[in-house]
């Protein structure tokens, strides 16, 4: 079964494909369609609202089952007003490149003694047809806590700038040195697999 994944980020597409392959699901990313994409404002006040806006826009444009995700980053050391939340890469009214994002968060970590304790939270919204939709912002979709440090790891995966700055609190080692990127944590994979496993019977016949 193939689904349209509402992202142009090649890293996110590859990561989600790895997560869902055991369920027999394959994904097509927006960039692979090679057509103009509808603009999506992402004006929601929650991660789930943003994921829904994207999924509905892409379903309206392409008329095929599509799901979108939205992620937010939250740090223990920051006040509510300071949290990146859903605007992980949008700072000062513009979207940061990978290099700019690393510079921005390195400076943020530096102001807090060289590291911050963070966690990514995720939301998912799937449009199966014009009436049937599924969504979740369950805790199982969130990453485990990690340290975000000011010095990036030499390895860099396009689309995941902060993975290179993530350290496992239990060992003090970069996730990349442990052989598993933050985005590929088994618990995150299982959270997304559980979501799709629960809705697959209802998707059959619609895809």
């Amino acid at each position: 079964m193939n689904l349209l994944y509402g992202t142009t980020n090649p890293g996110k597409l590859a990561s989600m494909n790895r997560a869902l392959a055991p369920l027999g699901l394959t994904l097509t990313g927006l960039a692979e369609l090679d057509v103009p994409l509808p603009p999506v404002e992402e004006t929601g006040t929650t991660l789930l609202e943003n994921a829904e806006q994207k999924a509905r826009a892409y379903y309206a444009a392409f008329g095929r089952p599509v799901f979108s995700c939205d992620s937010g980053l939250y740090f223990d050391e920051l006040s509510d007003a300071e949290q990146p939340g859903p605007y992980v890469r949008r700072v000062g009214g513009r979207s940061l490149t990978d290099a700019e994002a690393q510079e921005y968060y390195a400076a943020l970590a530096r102001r807090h003694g060289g590291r911050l304790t963070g966690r990514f939270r995720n939301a998912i919204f799937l449009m199966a047809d014009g009436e049937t939709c599924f969504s979740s912002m369950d805790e199982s979709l969130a990453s485990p806590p990690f340290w975000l440090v000011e010095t990036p790891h030499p390895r860099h995966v396009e689309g995941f700038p902060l993975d290179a700055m993530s350290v496992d609190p239990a060992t003090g080692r970069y996730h990349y040195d442990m052989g598993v990127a933050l985005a590929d944590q088994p618990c995150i994979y299982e959270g997304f697999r559980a979501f799709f496993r629960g809705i697959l019977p209802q998707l059959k016949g619609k895809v």
Side-chain angles (χ1 to χ4, degrees), residues 73-85 108 112 116:
L73 178 56
Y74 302 87
F75 293 111
D76 292 352
E77 295 84 356
L78 303 186
S79 67
D80 289 346
E82 296 174 302
Q83 297 291 351
L108 188 62
H112 291 269
L116 292 162

Side-chain angles (χ1 to χ4, degrees), residues 7-193:
T7 185
T8 57
N9 185 317
K12 289 183 178 180
L13 177 63
S15 180
M16 192 66 75
N17 260 315
R18 287 192 293 271
L20 300 184
L23 301 183
L25 290 173
T26 59
L27 306 177
T28 298
L30 296 175
E32 296 175 89
L33 299 179
D34 197 27
V35 296
L37 301 178
V40 183
E41 294 293 332
E42 293 188 52
T43 57
T45 58
T46 68
L47 302 177
L48 191 55
E49 288 176 358
N50 282 338
E52 179 177 355
Q53 287 177 357
K54 290 185 284 187
R56 289 189 180 279
Y58 299 137
Y59 182 85
F62 305 118
R64 55 184 288 189
V66 56
F67 74 95
S68 288
C69 299
D70 202 45
S71 299
L73 178 56
Y74 302 87
F75 293 111
D76 292 352
E77 295 84 356
L78 303 186
S79 67
D80 289 346
E82 296 174 302
Q83 297 291 351
Y87 307 107
V88 180
R89 297 185 64 151
R90 294 198 296 277
V91 177
R94 58 183 294 268
S95 181
L96 303 180
T97 65
D98 281 8
E100 290 170 337
Q102 288 187 345
E103 291 174 5
Y104 176 81
Y105 283 100
L108 188 62
R110 196 174 302 119
R111 292 200 295 271
H112 291 269
R115 77 181 187 204
L116 292 162
T117 305
R119 197 173 191 206
F120 280 101
R121 300 186 183 279
N122 297 294
I124 185 170
F125 193 96
L126 186 148
M127 289 284 299
D129 56 33
E131 297 180 352
T132 310
C133 57
F134 307 90
S135 64
S136 177
M137 204 165 67
D138 192 77
E139 193 71 13
S140 65
L141 302 177
S143 76
F146 66 95
W147 287 340
L148 185 137
V149 298
E150 61 178 307
T151 303
H153 191 278
R155 180 184 174 192
H156 173 240
V157 176
E158 183 181 355
F160 290 96
L162 302 191
D163 272 14
M165 303 171 71
S166 72
V167 168
D168 173 40
T171 63
R173 299 175 63 198
Y174 285 97
H175 283 105
Y176 279 156
D177 287 337
M178 298 172 67
V180 180
L182 182 63
D184 290 336
Q185 293 290 301
C187 62
I188 303 177
Y189 274 16
E190 184 49 42
F192 280 100
R193 278 196 290 265

